Amino acid sequence: MTSTSAMSTALAPYGWDDAWAEQFTPYAAEGLLPGRVVRVDRGQCDVVTADGVIRADTAFVTPHDPMRVVCTGDWVAVDPAGTPRYVRACLPRRTAFVRSTSSKRSDGQILAANVDHAVVAVSLAVELDLGRIERFLALAWESGAQPLVVLTKADLVPDPATLAHLVQDVETSAPGVPVLSVSAQDGEGLDVLVALLGSGTSVLLGQSGAGKSTLANALKGEDVMAVRAARDVDGKGRHTTTTRNLLALPGGGVLIDTPGLRGVGLYDAETGVEQVFAEIEELAGGCRFHDCAHESEPGCAVTAAVEAGELPARRLDSYRKLKRENQWIVAKTDARVRAELRRDWKRKHAEGRAMVEAKRKGWR
């Protein structure tokens, strides 16, 4: 059995610290080994331990709740020996990156656990989709991680002024979030990114074709992830990465690379949405009504800012869309929210009928 000090030294590059060690104390008393899940595949997972990477079955800790299944980034307790070996328990997560399932149901799907930095990779080979970036950032903020937007393939934008303009566009849509342009091809910006990710755990997110695997290889300093060329027509790529993989970086920190995400549904991300649209939330404090929907209400400070050119109309449209989507997801499982939405709908319907009736009387 590996000594406690040797175990801590071996697991430190993967994020093991005194707090994790303290939480693991009861499992250590049972003779179990601590380890971090580096990959999950069909009911089994690869776990890095002080004795090396082992293959373990998750049957004992896979519950019916999809939010509690073993996930890449989890710290777990595993059997010290035997065939097969099993994951016996998961330590409580510090953070979790969660999206709603692509089936549009109210279920959540956890993508990565115990993450400190959420890196949203966006390709400069295609036109920027600011709305999608805002969606990723809402999930990132909600997870408890610090978001970071990385504009990949910067070598495809040779004009410095154009590149600066693109960075500024993203910064406007990402208040409080660092935005960095990088090129894995020529190394531009990689040193800054390595410094930012040099401690803690980072998860790499983005659509297929965003250059995530290429970026992961550049950060790792070797070709550990397979790479395929994106289509010239729309810049989209195939799902080269099919599982979530945790990699220890040579400069410090660990990176979780994820498959390309086509659907990025919100999952109870109200706080995250408010963080992404912090300027709208601040403006809303000046609205006449505390429950202002920022549509046609009198005394709305938000719509006034749009009319004055102080707030882009696109930002408000995106805010409304994400707020509605999040309310719908929450209402699927929360009866109180459903009742509030029903009352709100009835109120707006009554106001609409009253306006129509007032117009009719005015025509007579």
Side-chain angles (χ1 to χ4, degrees):
M1 180 84 58
T2 306
S3 68
T4 301
S5 59
M7 180 183 67
S8 298
T9 301
L11 293 179
Y14 294 91
W16 185 257
D17 56 28
D18 292 341
W20 287 121
E22 183 177 353
Q23 288 191 29
F24 193 79
T25 300
Y27 302 108
E30 296 177 18
L32 298 176
L33 288 178
R36 193 164 196 191
V37 177
V38 298
R39 185 173 182 267
V40 178
D41 181 24
R42 299 178 182 178
Q44 292 190 316
C45 62
D46 293 336
V47 182
V48 61
T49 71
D51 297 332
V53 177
I54 64 172
R55 188 75 168 163
D57 197 299
T58 65
F60 279 95
V61 293
T62 301
H64 295 295
D65 183 356
M67 294 289 288
R68 296 175 58 199
V69 299
V70 175
C71 178
T72 302
D74 273 327
W75 284 100
V76 297
V78 297
D79 289 329
T83 303
R85 299 170 85 166
Y86 290 95
V87 174
R88 297 293 177 175
C90 280
L91 297 187
R93 293 163 178 155
R94 294 177 181 175
T95 62
F97 191 94
V98 183
R99 68 167 177 174
S100 65
T101 55
S102 57
S103 62
K104 299 298 184 181
R105 299 184 302 174
S106 57
D107 297 332
Q109 178 190 21
I110 181 166
L111 299 180
N114 301 311
V115 172
D116 301 293
H117 312 285
V119 182
V120 180
V122 181
S123 173
L124 289 175
V126 294
E127 185 177 354
L128 288 176
D129 185 342
L130 299 178
R132 179 170 286 273
I133 294 173
E134 290 162 346
R135 178 180 292 273
F136 269 111
L137 291 176
L139 292 175
W141 280 121
E142 192 68 32
S143 75
Q146 169 63 50
L148 166 66
V149 178
V150 174
L151 304 179
T152 65
K153 307 181 183 181
D155 53 285
L156 299 180
V157 187
D159 179 38
T162 301
L163 182 59
H165 178 72
L166 292 171
V167 171
Q168 185 177 28
D169 280 349
V170 177
E171 288 176 338
T172 301
S173 301
V177 177
V179 179
L180 179 65
S181 62
V182 304
S183 170
Q185 183 77 19
D186 58 24
E188 177 190 344
L190 282 179
D191 56 340
V192 178
L193 183 58
V194 167
L196 290 173
L197 307 184
S199 63
T201 299
S202 304
V203 61
L204 193 52
L205 307 156
Q207 288 182 285
S208 297
K212 298 188 305 301
S213 294
T214 301
L215 187 59
N217 288 338
L219 291 170
K220 182 66 175 175
E222 57 182 300
D223 292 339
V224 291
M225 305 301 299
V227 177
R228 292 181 182 175
R231 297 190 302 231
D232 291 334
V233 176
D234 54 13
K236 293 182 179 179
R238 299 173 183 174
H239 286 303
T240 305
T241 302
T242 56
T243 58
R244 300 170 193 99
N245 302 277
L246 187 148
L247 310 168
L249 301 178
V254 294
L255 179 71
I256 299 175
D257 190 20
T258 64
L261 301 175
R262 290 193 177 93
V264 193
L266 299 185
Y267 182 78
D268 195 5
E270 181 178 0
T271 301
V273 173
E274 292 174 353
Q275 189 78 35
V276 175
F277 299 94
E279 81 278 32
I280 295 179
E281 290 292 322
E282 184 176 353
L283 286 168
C287 292
R288 181 182 302 177
F289 304 108
H290 75 278
D291 60 346
C292 183
H294 318 309
E295 293 176 352
S296 58
E297 296 88 344
C300 175
V302 176
T303 53
V306 173
E307 293 170 359
E310 299 169 358
L311 176 69
R314 188 207 64 78
R315 284 279 286 171
L316 180 55
D317 289 341
S318 183
Y319 171 79
R320 289 169 175 160
K321 179 180 179 179
L322 294 183
K323 288 284 275 190
R324 285 195 299 267
E325 179 182 328
N326 193 68
Q327 284 182 329
W328 182 86
I329 289 293
V330 174
K332 295 285 284 185
T333 56
D334 192 321
R336 181 184 59 80
V337 174
R338 284 200 301 274
E340 290 178 354
L341 289 176
R342 193 176 295 113
R343 285 195 298 270
D344 187 57
W345 181 85
K346 288 181 178 179
R347 177 181 61 79
K348 290 183 177 180
H349 187 62
E351 290 174 351
R353 284 188 300 178
M355 291 178 64
V356 170
E357 185 63 27
K359 287 182 179 180
R360 285 177 179 172
K361 291 181 179 178
W363 291 337
R364 293 173 184 172

